Amino acid sequence: RRQRQMCIRDSSRIAVRSIRRDGIDKVKKMEKASEITEDDLKIAEKKLQDLTDKYIKDIDKLADEKEKEIMAI
């Protein structure tokens, strides 16, 4: 069960990072097309990274809680 829990944790983290990568690609394309400024790009990248960090932390917290719950059974 522990191995399965780690697999779920890892796949969730990968999914969040993939979403971040897609978001960064999108804003880079917008900047290249002159739809946003370079400053806007940097702000968007920072916000995407902050959100990624938050959700990775949430995933780890939930996975740790679930692991403790499983171990208690």
Side-chain angles (χ1 to χ4, degrees):
R1 285 187 177 205
R2 180 175 168 80
Q3 198 169 25
R4 181 168 181 250
Q5 187 69 27
M6 292 303 290
C7 181
I8 292 169
R9 178 189 303 222
D10 292 343
S11 63
S12 299
R13 292 173 71 136
I14 290 167
V16 170
R17 289 186 184 121
S18 177
I19 292 166
R20 175 194 60 196
R21 185 183 62 245
D22 292 346
I24 288 173
D25 288 346
K26 185 169 184 158
V27 294
K28 281 183 179 180
K29 286 178 186 175
M30 291 173 71
E31 193 263 340
K32 190 170 185 170
S34 298
E35 295 175 25
I36 62 173
T37 65
E38 188 175 341
D39 289 342
D40 291 336
L41 170 65
K42 295 299 178 193
I43 291 167
E45 287 177 333
K46 171 87 169 92
K47 286 182 179 180
L48 285 166
Q49 185 60 50
D50 290 346
L51 284 170
T52 299
D53 293 344
K54 176 193 179 303
Y55 287 113
I56 294 287
K57 187 176 178 181
D58 290 348
I59 289 166
D60 288 342
K61 181 181 174 194
L62 289 169
D64 289 343
E65 289 172 3
K66 189 65 176 178
E67 184 178 329
K68 287 176 187 172
E69 180 183 316
I70 289 170
M71 293 300 196
I73 295 175

